[in-house]
Amino acid sequence: MTASARLGAVLVGSFLAVALAAPLLAPFDPAQPSLSENLSPPSLAHPFGQDRLGRDILSRIVYGSRASLLVGISTVAVSLTLGTALGLFSGLAGGWIDEAMMRVIDVLLAFPGILLAIAISAVLGPSLANVVIALSVIGWTGYARLVRAETLSLRERAHVESAIALGAGPSRVVFYHVLPLLAGPLAVQATFGVAGAIVAEASLSFLGLGTQPPAPSWGAMLNEGRRFLLVAPHVALFPGLAVFATVLGINFLGDGLRDWLDVRMPVTGYGLPAIKKTSNE
Amino acid sequence: MNAALRRALLALPTLFGVATLVFFFIHLIPGDPVDVMLGEAASAADRVRLRAALGLDRPLLEQYVGFLVHAAHGDLGRSLRDGTPVSALIRGRLPATLLLAAAAGSMALAVAIPLGAISARHRGRWLDSAATGFALLGASLPNFLLGPLLVLPFSVWLGWLPVSGADSAASLVLPAVTLGLGMSAILTRLVRAAVLDALSADYIRTARAKGLSEPAVFLRHALRSALLPVATILGLQLGSLFGGAIITETIFAWPGVGRLTLQAIDSRDYPLVQGCVLVIACGYVAANLLTDLAYQRLDPRVRFGRREAR
Amino acid sequence: MAALFIVWTATSGCSGRPRRTETLVVGLEAMPTDLDPRFATDAASSRIDDLVFRALTRLDEHQEHVPDLAVDWRFDAPLSVRFQIRADATFSDGSPLTAADVRATYESILDPKTASPKREDLAFLESLDTPDDHTVRFHLKAPFAPFLEATTIGILPRSQLASTERVRIGSGAYRIVGVTPDREVQLASRAEHRGIREIRFRVIPDDTVRALELAKGTIDLVENAVEPENVRWLEGHSETCVRRIAGTTFQYIGINFEDSHLRDLRVRRAIAQAIDRPSLIQHLLGGAARPAGGLLAPEHWAYEDDVKKYSYDPAEAKRLLDAAGYPDPDDDGPAVRFRLSYKTSTIDSRRRIGEALQAMLAAVGIGLDVRSFEWGTFYDDVRRGNFQLYSLAWVGVSDPDFFFTMLHSTMTPPRGNNRGGYVDPEVDRLTELGRRTLDAAQRQKIYAAVQHRVAEELPFIPLWWTDNVVVQSERLCGFVPYPDGSLISLTTAWLLTAPNFPRGTGSTPCGCGHS
């Protein structure tokens, strides 16, 4: 393990620990306002300072990690499952089904992500769950393309061909031959996907979609903090550092994972490490 | 040429899909443009009248077909608000968007190539991590923070650049840097990966054996091989910028297509939303097409057989 | 590519086009939606229209109608008002303004084909006629006291009204030179006018960026569009100064009377007393508001001060809720008596207020679910009655007849603004009477009774009247902020040129010593 991968593991580990142990770590109730102390800078009692309503920022960051963890993991879980299933189907079926699937993916990617998010929240109402839905609706495409590409090329590999020749049914082919080979790239992709989802949540909060008050999320805190950059930069600084540290850690870990699994990630347009905003700004 | 034509034709179903999706989305979400335009004090009769005048009282399917047919002829309809042709409104914004995209792309390259090269050169050492870390900083900070953070020193304290707007060429710098830094994260990693790949390839060893100096090897061969995947991804990123720069456009008051779309959504101006989304999709599709074609032409390996398993 | 970019930016100069000292730049949050007075409904459009289009009357600091194009008006028959138009008014294209133009403007709005949102506002008009070139008569269908409300609509030239295009020619001190969609509106002063030669309204959507532009000096004036924290920051800058005057914008919490909890007066009163308005104002609004007792602000001619007031009293609120039959299950613990949903837009400061309200109501045992929606959806929900509580503001209420459209039982959307479905025969009777009564003193009594009743029954919960906060460059002199936010005093303001304007904080009062 390289030094950076180790650093990544430490950062991600801390992130998970903080998220899981939030009630034990947060010194204050994250939703408890104290209007008279609003925008107070960092102090002994409040090491990260206080936000617009006087709430303790450290506690909100600790609890906010839960929202980020939830969004990250849920988005990836949904996207991964959906994308893998559809990508496999497309790759194995081939022909016009495959072409149709590619068109569907193209349509989803050509559609501006922001509009999709607004439409979804307008119809379903704003909430963290709907952020996951909005991100997944576009997110599954990356995994689908990766899986499809690998499936297509794996179909022609010798052992797969012989397995089919020996009469193996499609599900057997899938589970014993294709999926194990995909596990590596998918794991790496998923790791980066978590980072992407966490950052995308911040962008969606700019539009006011996402966690509803008083639940804290790093994205919402960043969005709130941008109004006070001139008078109280600490409100945006600490969530920004939290996001940065988490994204950094995930990326380093992902790199390490990739090196360890010795995975060759195809680079041409699909299967990209999805670090950030290409269509969901 | 055959392949190019085929790809271009395949874009049509995509655009059809986008048109359908946007039409039904925008008509089915809550909010009524007639209410937006007439406000609260109008009588029911006025509303009915305006709805009829705008053609909004026809059956949904009929409006849908009408939209498709007109769009196919290049007629994107008229804005519900004041009847200005949608294509004129969008045409007014396109140059700004294209300009921003080009500038952001250049900025992204200007950051990614050196950083990626440094990363690859000093692989595994602290400089590598530092360069990656810097690239990720640009990636993890949302644009709505990055923008004002850049404005403060460069515009207010130093006074070098305008804060916002699109009055002069200098107004382009900050929005382009903001957008470009975000795009550069992926590109940096790509440059790094591609350069590393290339450095260990056979033809590099040959070049070294032939006596070429290290920097020359690096620059001439390794870096060049990185350009292809980088150009590919950059092309895709630029394609997404049509609609993807909304936040940056809002922060900097940059009059692009993204912001027009957002305002159209706010006022439920159906034809304008539909037109904007179609144009954004066209931009994406065109960028994809060009990128694919460039890739096919430039990558010797791909030219001779697409199914080479890596 | 990179090299080209660098060369190009280096050769394009430093900070935009050169500043002319006779140009005033005003920062706007959003592009005016429609400058044509027949269609202008948003604040930005109204601000600009004040400078470009004159109307029969305009509003002064007390929200009273004073002459503008009409030098006087009187009833010459029970249902007929005669307006005398001044003889010296001209449009910016040089043509004289006559009664025919006034008539043509109103008839255009009344024409259904124009689809003007103001058409319904003129429903009281039977017809107009023009006995001579400088007289216009309004013929009313029935006695209608608030008829003057309709006289603040800008007058357009008859010749321009023939087409269906938007009209940009008016008789005001400034004329529209250019409109760049989503960027700016440019006004130039008309030849005979001295003072500020050119006014540019620039659209800058982001609040921090607006503050930065003010600090840098690239914009000179922003009204009610700088967040309190940034106002504080700007106060420390030597080139800008801040002015606050009492305003009339009324922020309130809207109530849906379909809801069983909210129908109970004790619950509404409890909510009113659970809210610590002074604290919210001081900490969230930077002190730039006054706790409100009702719709009309103290400066209004019809304002009635002697009404029931609700002070911050959580203990009383709890008592009221108990009395209403909603006991607190765990006495100050996290469990709540009942939950209510509170809808707001995605504007950050509104969400912040919602969160503060959430905490205050939780303290008395009411669980508030704060949900923020994209604007179109939010507004649609409010209009359809799809809410329990929401908060919005009424801007520019001038005639107390507004109580009619806001509270009369027949004025539920889409007819009017009674979004919560409030039904009160007493209010119905009073507001109907108020419309028909022409005598000012009597109207005052009627509306005093309305305000009394409204304060007792709480069909909405008053929050505050927001002050007008103007951040301006120190080189702008003679600008007087109006309570309703009008920028009309720009027509008599002027700009100091470079060597003369004072530097340093506080040495010269903002606005060059003129108030």
Side-chain angles (χ1 to χ4, degrees):
Chain A
M1 252 208 186
T2 65
S4 66
R6 265 200 291 269
L7 176 63
V10 164
L11 287 172
V12 174
S14 317
F15 169 60
L16 286 172
V18 165
L20 290 171
L24 300 171
L25 293 170
F28 291 89
D29 177 358
Q32 183 58 39
S34 168
L35 282 182
S36 52
E37 298 177 299
N38 74 92
L39 295 181
S40 302
S43 63
L44 279 176
H46 300 273
F48 284 2
Q50 289 162 287
D51 73 359
R52 191 65 183 88
L53 294 180
R55 298 177 294 206
D56 178 46
I57 292 183
L58 174 59
S59 306
R60 287 180 69 77
I61 287 191
V62 165
Y63 272 92
S65 63
R66 293 187 150 184
S68 298
L69 186 64
L70 211 57
V71 169
I73 296 201
S74 309
T75 304
V76 166
V78 172
S79 304
L80 184 66
T81 313
L82 200 57
T84 306
L86 290 174
L88 271 174
F89 179 58
S90 185
L92 287 176
W96 69 267
I97 294 184
D98 183 38
E99 280 298 331
M101 183 67 64
M102 285 296 101
R103 294 290 78 70
V104 167
I105 290 182
D106 272 347
V107 167
L108 282 175
L109 290 178
F111 203 84
I114 303 263
L115 173 50
L116 205 58
I118 291 178
I120 290 177
S121 88
V123 172
L124 297 174
S127 75
L128 210 53
N130 295 332
V131 168
V132 171
I133 294 177
L135 291 177
S136 305
V137 162
I138 301 214
W140 68 266
T141 54
Y143 301 100
R145 275 173 147 173
L146 171 64
V147 166
R148 171 193 173 265
E150 293 292 321
T151 309
L152 283 175
S153 71
L154 285 174
R155 263 172 70 169
E156 286 146 26
R157 289 265 185 89
H159 63 273
V160 175
E161 283 181 331
S162 49
I164 298 181
L166 285 174
S171 56
R172 199 182 161 77
V173 171
V174 163
F175 283 106
Y176 279 114
H177 298 279
V178 179
L179 274 182
L181 285 164
L182 282 174
L186 279 179
V188 175
Q189 173 99 326
T191 313
F192 295 125
V194 173
I198 293 178
V199 175
E201 193 254 329
S203 301
L204 288 182
S205 74
F206 179 83
L207 302 169
L209 318 167
T211 49
Q212 296 300 301
S217 82
W218 293 348
M221 293 170 75
L222 277 173
N223 189 44
E224 185 191 321
R226 74 185 173 93
R227 315 195 80 88
F228 315 124
L229 274 180
L230 300 175
V231 294
H234 64 275
V235 181
L237 176 69
F238 293 109
L241 281 177
V243 171
F244 175 55
T246 308
V247 166
L248 193 72
I250 293 178
N251 273 283
F252 282 164
L253 191 63
D255 280 343
L257 193 64
R258 183 178 50 209
D259 292 341
W260 181 55
L261 294 175
D262 195 25
V263 162
R264 304 289 298 282
M265 302 288 293
V267 158
T268 54
Y270 35 76
L272 251 206
I275 295 183
K276 187 184 158 162
K277 46 206 182 185
T278 45
S279 55
N280 279 11
E281 202 202 2
Chain B
M1 225 49 250
N2 225 352
L5 198 60
R6 187 169 172 276
R7 294 307 304 271
L9 284 177
L10 279 179
L12 290 176
T14 306
L15 291 177
F16 172 76
V18 170
T20 305
L21 200 60
V22 68
F23 182 88
F24 286 105
F25 253 142
I26 195 69
H27 279 84
L28 294 177
I29 63 177
D32 184 345
V34 170
D35 286 344
V36 170
M37 286 166 66
L38 289 182
E40 296 198 67
S43 69
D46 283 345
R47 283 175 216 281
V48 166
R49 211 183 335 256
L50 186 57
R51 192 156 299 164
L54 295 175
L56 294 175
D57 56 344
R58 294 174 297 153
L60 205 58
L61 275 180
E62 189 189 314
Q63 293 187 50
Y64 170 58
V65 171
F67 163 57
L68 282 182
V69 167
H70 283 113
H73 288 105
D75 174 12
L76 293 173
R78 293 173 168 269
S79 161
L80 292 181
R81 173 166 294 285
D82 56 4
T84 325
V86 168
S87 44
L89 285 170
I90 297 179
R91 238 201 322 269
R93 306 295 195 106
L94 264 184
T97 295
L98 291 172
L99 200 57
L100 184 59
S106 315
M107 178 68 219
L109 282 179
V111 167
I113 294 180
L115 272 189
I118 292 176
S119 255
R121 186 99 176 71
H122 301 272
R123 178 211 184 138
R125 302 205 289 259
W126 72 270
L127 208 51
D128 179 11
S129 305
T132 309
F134 178 76
L136 284 175
L137 187 63
S140 51
L141 273 183
N143 284 352
F144 58 78
L145 266 189
L146 196 52
L149 279 177
L150 289 174
V151 168
L152 205 50
F154 292 106
S155 184
V156 182
W157 296 338
L158 292 170
W160 289 347
L161 298 165
V163 178
S164 72
D167 286 336
S168 68
S171 319
L172 181 56
V173 175
L174 286 180
V177 168
T178 305
L179 262 184
L181 276 181
M183 292 160 62
S184 65
I186 291 191
L187 293 176
T188 307
R189 302 171 65 79
L190 266 181
V191 170
R192 177 184 182 279
V195 167
L196 282 177
D197 255 0
L199 280 178
S200 59
D202 283 342
Y203 66 98
I204 293 289
R205 274 181 269 168
T206 319
R208 282 201 187 108
K210 276 204 279 183
L212 269 181
S213 68
E214 193 59 31
V217 165
F218 193 72
L219 286 174
R220 248 202 287 151
H221 295 281
L223 215 48
R224 191 189 301 171
S225 74
L227 289 182
L228 182 58
V230 164
T232 311
I233 299 307
L234 184 61
L236 297 180
Q237 286 182 319
L238 289 179
S240 312
L241 272 189
F242 272 68
I246 287 178
I247 294 181
T248 306
E249 286 179 16
T250 303
I251 300 284
F252 288 100
W254 186 263
V257 175
R259 218 148 82 72
L260 183 63
T261 315
L262 205 55
Q263 288 161 342
I265 296 172
D266 251 358
S267 51
R268 300 291 193 264
D269 194 338
Y270 297 152
L272 190 53
V273 174
Q274 287 158 193
C276 284
V277 170
L278 263 184
V279 167
I280 290 174
C282 281
Y284 177 82
V285 162
N288 257 309
L289 198 60
L290 288 171
T291 310
D292 265 348
L293 287 177
Y295 191 79
Q296 288 203 349
R297 295 211 55 183
L298 295 175
D299 186 350
R301 288 173 289 171
V302 175
R303 251 151 132 194
F304 297 117
R306 287 219 77 180
R307 287 269 197 262
E308 295 241 351
R310 290 193 62 190
Chain C
M1 221 198 294
L4 255 168
F5 172 71
I6 293 169
V7 168
W8 167 54
T9 51
T11 52
S12 53
C14 278
S15 14
R17 70 173 95 132
R19 297 292 312 286
R20 294 172 48 206
T21 47
E22 319 90 61
T23 305
L24 179 82
V25 183
V26 180
L28 293 177
E29 302 179 81
M31 185 69 186
T33 45
D34 203 319
L35 293 172
D36 186 315
R38 299 169 292 166
F39 300 92
T41 47
D42 62 314
S45 304
S46 308
R47 301 282 164 262
I48 297 178
D49 282 358
D50 283 342
L51 299 169
V52 175
F53 302 96
R54 293 178 75 175
L56 289 175
T57 69
R58 63 177 182 83
L59 292 170
D60 71 0
E61 307 88 81
H62 299 283
Q63 305 292 84
E64 302 208 51
H65 290 268
V66 295
D68 193 3
L69 284 172
V71 291
D72 78 40
W73 53 91
R74 58 195 153 75
F75 278 88
D76 59 357
L79 292 179
S80 168
V81 190
R82 173 188 283 261
F83 290 87
Q84 188 68 29
I85 316 286
R86 56 192 306 148
D88 58 355
T90 57
F91 288 108
S92 56
D93 63 358
S95 58
L97 189 151
T98 65
D101 300 302
V102 175
R103 180 175 175 180
T105 304
Y106 281 95
E107 287 182 342
S108 172
I109 298 176
L110 284 168
D111 183 358
K113 283 200 284 296
T114 311
S116 161
K118 300 189 178 178
R119 183 167 176 269
E120 197 61 17
D121 294 342
L122 300 182
F124 66 91
L125 268 181
E126 180 74 53
S127 66
L128 296 118
D129 67 6
T130 53
D132 62 54
D133 265 353
H134 296 286
T135 311
V136 175
R137 273 196 309 212
F138 280 13
H139 297 286
L140 311 180
K141 290 180 184 157
F144 190 72
F147 71 92
L148 279 178
E149 287 299 280
T151 57
T152 53
I153 300 176
I155 302 299
L156 303 169
R158 191 166 52 119
S159 52
Q160 298 285 318
L161 290 169
S163 79
T164 53
E165 299 289 304
R166 295 295 195 257
V167 179
R168 298 227 170 113
I169 298 187
S171 53
Y174 285 85
R175 61 187 171 85
I176 297 177
V177 170
V179 177
T180 318
D182 209 25
R183 279 168 64 172
E184 68 176 31
V185 176
Q186 290 160 304
L187 305 182
S189 82
R190 295 173 57 194
E192 57 270 27
H193 175 73
R194 281 156 293 137
I196 303 174
R197 288 236 178 285
E198 186 184 291
I199 305 182
R200 282 175 65 203
F201 287 85
R202 273 185 59 196
V203 177
I204 304 168
D206 185 71
D207 188 82
T208 306
V209 171
R210 274 195 302 277
L212 289 168
E213 296 258 28
L214 279 166
K216 190 168 172 186
T218 39
I219 58 179
D220 304 301
L221 179 70
V222 177
E223 181 184 55
N224 290 330
V226 182
E227 290 287 310
E229 303 74 32
N230 291 336
V231 170
R232 224 166 52 212
W233 183 73
L234 284 167
E235 269 172 329
H237 273 253
S238 61
E239 288 178 32
T240 57
C241 54
V242 177
R243 307 168 70 177
R244 269 190 204 85
I245 65 160
T248 58
T249 298
F250 175 65
Q251 185 82 29
Y252 67 98
I253 296 179
I255 294 176
N256 192 341
F257 281 80
E258 300 275 307
D259 182 82
S260 56
H261 306 291
L262 295 169
R263 259 204 292 267
D264 188 328
L265 177 60
R266 288 166 296 193
V267 171
R268 300 199 295 277
R269 287 185 172 177
I271 294 176
Q273 300 206 258
I275 299 176
D276 185 357
R277 288 178 197 69
S279 176
L280 286 173
I281 290 172
Q282 187 190 351
H283 297 119
L284 289 185
L285 302 181
R290 298 171 291 171
L295 173 68
L296 301 177
E299 294 75 29
H300 196 281
W301 60 266
Y303 174 70
E304 172 60 39
D305 191 63
D306 183 24
V307 297
K308 186 170 170 64
K309 305 253 169 68
Y310 296 89
S311 57
Y312 175 54
D313 193 344
E316 174 68 9
K318 288 185 198 171
R319 204 192 59 73
L320 281 167
L321 289 169
D322 286 337
Y326 301 108
D328 193 333
D330 61 355
D331 246 10
D332 273 7
V336 297
R337 304 168 196 258
F338 55 86
R339 304 201 74 89
L340 288 173
S341 79
Y342 173 96
K343 292 193 175 179
T344 178
S345 65
T346 52
I347 299 172
D348 228 46
S349 48
R350 299 276 164 255
R351 294 173 81 186
R352 230 40 76 220
I353 291 172
E355 289 181 78
L357 289 174
Q358 191 177 47
M360 288 175 182
L361 288 185
V364 302
I366 301 179
L368 201 66
D369 292 321
V370 176
R371 310 284 299 256
S372 67
F373 292 85
E374 173 263 333
W375 177 256
T377 310
F378 168 62
Y379 195 57
D380 196 65
D381 277 350
V382 165
R383 296 200 54 244
R384 286 182 203 287
N386 183 11
F387 64 90
Q388 286 177 312
L389 295 172
Y390 72 92
S391 180
L392 274 177
W394 290 117
V395 182
V397 174
S398 51
D399 194 290
D401 181 60
F402 190 71
F403 279 112
F404 181 86
T405 139
M406 196 168 66
L407 296 175
H408 195 280
S409 52
T410 59
M411 294 309 270
T412 49
R415 289 205 60 191
N417 299 332
N418 187 355
R419 298 151 172 169
Y422 178 63
V423 178
D424 184 343
E426 179 67 8
V427 169
D428 280 0
R429 187 184 69 79
L430 285 169
T431 50
E432 285 165 22
L433 190 58
R435 307 192 113 181
R436 294 197 303 266
T437 310
L438 296 177
D439 175 62
Q442 276 203 288
R443 284 191 89 206
Q444 190 159 20
K445 287 208 194 70
I446 293 171
Y447 287 110
V450 172
Q451 292 171 71
H452 229 299
R453 179 82 177 159
V454 163
E456 287 289 326
E457 293 293 311
L458 285 183
F460 50 82
I461 297 182
L463 287 175
W464 47 74
W465 300 297
T466 35
D467 292 344
N468 272 357
V469 179
V470 171
V471 183
Q472 60 161 89
S473 157
E474 283 201 341
R475 65 190 198 106
L476 172 65
C477 292
F479 171 69
V480 175
Y482 268 49
D484 64 354
S486 171
L487 295 177
I488 192 72
S489 77
L490 283 179
T491 54
T492 49
W494 69 96
L495 290 170
L496 293 175
T497 51
N500 299 339
F501 72 89
R503 290 192 174 271
T505 49
S507 55
T508 321
C510 204
C512 313
H514 296 254
S515 59

